[in-house]
Amino acid sequence: MDFRHLKYFVAVAEESSFTRAAERLHISQPPLSRQIQQLEDEIGMKLLERDARPLRLTEAGRFFYARAVRLLEQVQETVSMTRRIAQMDRRLVIGFVPSTMYGALPRIARMFRAARPQTELVLVEKSSVEQIEALKTGRIDVGFGRIRLDDSSVRREVLREEPLVLAIPCEHPLANSTAPLSLLDAAPYPLLIYPRSPRPSYADHVLSMFRDKGVEPMAVHEVQEMQTALGLVASGMGLCVVPVSAQRLRREEVMYRALLEPSAVSPIIMSTRLHDQSSDIVLIRALIDDIYRAQAAEKLLAPPSDTPLPMDPP
Ligand code: BEZ
């Protein structure tokens, strides 16, 4: 069986007609019918009910159609991924969820550009879900996200688990102490979550932390971005759970308290195409290790601080 058989069969199945499928494939009808006949002979099963009008698939045909579509998509993905890898010497595209910009991402980008001036570095905002598709179609080469999503063509590594903190309006009753508090203390108040879409997202992660404790927040308002959520916290509209690296935002109007639950963390996940070991990707991974090592050393040297919040990585 060759690749053409699959392409021809999918066209006939989708058009429910040999005539329209032949037009779509820019071939004449007799060779198309011959190819489908050959395919059926090879499988030893009828895939089409030829007498039906419009043409219908047999049960075996429906099964074969679903698998053939998947195979064709995989071939297409493989071609785009290979093209992207061939272009890697000139361009590296990183997809990131916005909150990683408050962590190590700007430093990684600066160091990468200094080390590889010949490679154009592009940073594009993408949700964790979007990153998977963008990796597979070659629109990005590396993704930094926060949601564990399984895909057999994507390699995923959790770089670290970042502590989460509760953002509280300055005049709120919970703002009268800086001590760590529980999600149970936050549950009686309105909660702002983000991003609204696409799901699953960090929003679901936050909601499931409350559900794991057997509580639901009193009311939930969904917004698209962390910046909007923090603006609404500053306006007194509710509370919001954010990564600790975001706690430097809106310090005049928002106070941040650490959470007692050990589960109150969010992973920073690096995703790449499976088996893509290009030198740019190897360099990015090495820079992350360098940054984490330097941050650990800076932390050891820093004088004790009065801030009650857990600070940056690792
Ligand atoms: C970090 O903050 O640890 C981080 C952020 C983006 C990419 C990689 C690491």
Side-chain angles (χ1 to χ4, degrees):
M1 183 179 313
D2 71 33
F3 181 61
R4 229 174 354 158
H5 282 125
L6 298 184
K7 238 173 91 180
Y8 286 5
F9 176 72
V10 165
V12 173
E14 288 178 353
E15 299 295 343
S16 304
S17 147
F18 276 99
T19 315
R20 282 195 301 272
E23 276 166 22
R24 169 168 148 185
L25 294 163
H26 307 293
I27 57 171
S28 60
Q29 199 177 320
L32 176 60
S33 302
R34 266 198 309 278
Q35 293 283 336
I36 301 292
Q37 186 61 55
Q38 270 176 18
L39 178 65
E40 288 182 322
D41 291 346
E42 200 171 330
I43 296 175
M45 289 268 176
K46 285 272 161 245
L47 300 175
L48 297 168
E49 288 177 15
R50 284 187 172 64
D51 299 337
R53 288 286 170 275
L55 213 64
R56 269 203 310 261
L57 299 180
T58 61
E59 198 181 329
R62 282 197 295 277
F63 176 80
F64 189 76
Y65 168 73
R67 303 297 286 239
V69 167
R70 241 172 62 197
L71 281 170
L72 291 175
E73 280 169 3
Q74 279 170 357
V75 170
Q76 193 47 52
E77 260 171 45
T78 307
V79 171
S80 343
M81 287 186 196
T82 310
R83 284 200 187 118
R84 269 306 288 134
I85 286 166
Q87 288 169 2
M88 283 285 287
D89 262 0
R90 283 169 284 135
R91 219 158 99 101
L92 181 80
V93 187
I94 296 181
F96 63 94
V97 294
S99 64
T100 56
M101 270 297 174
Y102 300 104
L105 187 52
R107 201 158 159 186
I108 296 167
R110 275 198 311 276
M111 289 167 77
F112 181 86
R113 292 175 68 227
R116 286 278 155 89
Q118 73 277 21
T119 303
E120 181 194 357
L121 179 66
V122 180
L123 294 169
V124 287
E125 195 180 313
K126 287 214 181 288
S127 72
S128 305
V129 171
E130 290 165 344
Q131 286 176 21
I132 303 297
E133 210 42 45
L135 279 168
K136 288 173 21 172
T137 50
R139 279 175 290 125
I140 65 169
D141 305 297
V142 182
F144 293 115
R146 289 200 178 263
I147 303 295
R148 291 176 169 86
L149 297 164
D150 281 329
D151 191 295
S152 56
S153 335
V154 172
R155 179 175 185 278
R156 180 181 80 195
E157 183 187 357
V158 174
L159 297 172
R160 66 183 177 101
E161 294 280 359
E162 182 173 5
L164 299 177
V165 294
L166 189 68
I168 305 166
C170 276
E171 275 89 50
H172 195 276
L174 291 179
N176 59 12
S177 160
T178 54
L181 83 183
S182 162
L183 288 168
L184 295 177
D185 300 315
Y189 301 100
L191 182 74
L192 296 146
I193 57 169
Y194 65 90
R196 187 185 299 122
S197 64
R199 304 302 264 269
S201 75
Y202 173 76
D204 301 292
H205 177 65
V206 170
L207 288 177
S208 68
M209 284 183 346
F210 279 90
R211 287 174 192 151
D212 286 348
K213 302 281 298 179
V215 288
E216 287 286 330
M218 190 264 268
V220 171
H221 301 298
E222 296 180 358
V223 295
Q224 198 49 32
E225 288 171 17
M226 183 176 72
Q227 290 281 7
T228 314
L230 286 177
L232 291 174
V233 173
S235 318
M237 306 295 284
L239 311 173
C240 184
V241 177
V242 295
V244 68
S245 53
Q247 71 175 339
R248 58 183 78 119
L249 301 173
R250 294 192 171 271
R251 285 308 282 246
E252 271 101 73
E253 308 151 291
V254 175
M255 71 100 63
Y256 298 87
R257 287 178 71 178
L259 288 163
L260 288 169
E261 283 77 12
S263 64
V265 290
S266 163
I268 295 187
I269 299 168
M270 176 169 169
S271 302
T272 50
R273 283 178 284 274
L274 198 66
H275 308 308
D276 184 354
Q277 276 299 311
S278 73
S279 69
D280 286 341
I281 286 174
V282 172
L283 174 63
I284 290 275
R285 187 63 194 85
L287 291 176
I288 293 169
D289 277 343
D290 290 349
I291 290 171
Y292 284 176
R293 262 195 301 273
Q295 283 172 341
E298 280 160 22
K299 220 171 178 176
L300 280 179
L301 293 175
S305 120
D306 9 325
T307 161
L309 293 173
M311 275 311 294
D312 286 346

